[in-house]
Amino acid sequence: MPRAVISPSVLASDFGQLTAECKRMIKGGAEWLHMDVMDGHFVPNITMGAPILACVKKGIPDIFMDCHMMVAEPEKWVNDIADAGGALYCFHHEATSDPLSLIQSIHGRGMKAGVAISPDTPSSAITDEVANAADMLLVMTVYPGRGGQKFLERCVPKVAELRARFPDKDIEVDGGVGPSTIDVCAHAGSNVIVAGTAIFGAADPEGVIAQLRATVNTAQARIAAEKSS
C-alpha cells in the first residue's frame, strides 16, 4: 500500500489566520493541507476559491494543497486552481458526466487528479478506467458541505472495496476522522487521512498528526503480515 499522508482540513482552521494556520500544521508534521472549496451549488455552503489559495501559496511556496472541489461544474475551475498553486484537484464523481476528460485536463495543468464519492454513492460508481487514470480516490465519511459532522461508519466498507481493487492507489477518507475513528479507516485500507476539528482543535496537534500516521502505519503492517501468512 502507498505511504501514510496526513492532510489537515483547513475548514476547521481560523480563516482570518489561514497562512499561519497552514504553517502551524506543516510544522506539526502535516505533509498536505486539505483545502475545502465549496461553491454554494454542489453543497449549501461557500468557503474559499482560487484567490485565497493563491495567497496561501504565496506565503508558503512549497505547500502541497490537496484541493477538494465541492463544486457543481468542476471542469470550470481547473485552470484557476492550477494557476493558484493547487497540487491535487479532487472533484466529485457526482458532479461530472465525463470524469476521464476532466482527469486529462487536470493532468494537463500539472496537478494530480482525485475522484471523490459522497456517502450515498457506491464504490462501484468508480470504474476501473477512471480509477486507473486518477492519482487518488476519496471516500467521504460525512455529507460534503459542513465541517464537524459525525463520522458515518457505513461508508468504511467502500474504502475496503476500493483498496481490494486498487492496492497501490492513494485512498483518502474525509469527514469526522480523528483519534477515535482512525482505526476502522486505516484497517479498511485508507492511507491519506483528512482530519479537521480533531487536529486544529487539539491542544497538541502535532501529537494527533503523529497518532494518525502511526495508526495507518500499524494497520498497513498488519495487512501486509496477513497477506504473507
Side-chain angles (χ1 to χ4, degrees):
M1 279 205 314
R3 66 186 180 86
V5 176
I6 310 303
S7 186
S9 171
V10 303
L11 194 60
S13 73
D14 177 355
F15 273 25
Q17 309 287 335
L18 186 54
T19 299
E21 289 277 68
C22 290
K23 286 180 177 177
R24 181 166 72 95
M25 292 298 111
I26 293 167
K27 186 179 179 183
E31 294 178 67
W32 297 5
L33 270 297
H34 189 80
M35 317 301 278
D36 293 289
V37 178
M38 305 182 190
D39 65 351
H41 294 281
F42 182 71
V43 292
N45 196 10
I46 296 172
T47 52
M48 68 180 90
I52 290 176
L53 300 183
C55 290
V56 174
K57 180 70 173 179
K58 184 179 178 182
I60 314 172
D62 59 349
I63 190 173
F64 187 104
M65 290 193 287
D66 165 22
C67 302
H68 182 189
M69 303 301 296
M70 288 168 271
V71 299
E73 298 178 75
E75 296 83 3
K76 279 178 59 175
W77 306 107
V78 172
N79 286 327
D80 284 359
I81 297 299
D83 290 343
L88 189 153
Y89 189 103
C90 185
F91 63 89
H92 268 263
H93 189 276
E94 303 88 359
T96 183
S97 58
D98 191 357
L100 285 170
S101 292
L102 181 49
I103 290 169
Q104 192 172 8
S105 297
I106 294 164
H107 285 159
R109 286 306 315 271
M111 295 184 289
K112 290 179 179 290
V115 182
I117 52 173
S118 294
D120 296 335
T121 302
S123 67
S124 57
I126 300 179
T127 65
D128 288 1
E129 190 177 17
V130 167
N132 287 327
D135 301 285
M136 187 187 79
L137 307 175
L138 165 55
V139 174
M140 291 296 296
T141 46
V142 297
Y143 285 93
R146 297 278 177 193
Q149 295 181 64
K150 187 180 178 186
F151 179 76
L152 297 174
E153 192 160 348
R154 64 180 171 83
C155 298
V156 174
K158 292 192 283 186
V159 175
E161 291 158 10
L162 290 170
R163 177 57 70 205
R165 290 168 61 196
F166 310 108
D168 301 318
K169 189 73 61 179
D170 279 327
I171 298 180
E172 183 174 68
V173 285
D174 176 16
V177 180
S180 64
T181 52
I182 181 63
D183 277 340
V184 290
C185 297
H187 288 290
S190 59
N191 69 295
V192 182
I193 308 300
V194 176
T197 310
I199 296 176
F200 279 98
D204 177 20
E206 185 173 350
V208 175
I209 290 170
Q211 180 184 353
L212 297 175
R213 182 180 288 111
T215 303
V216 173
N217 288 337
T218 299
Q220 289 190 351
R222 184 180 298 176
I223 291 166
E226 289 170 355
K227 281 183 178 178
S228 64
S229 61

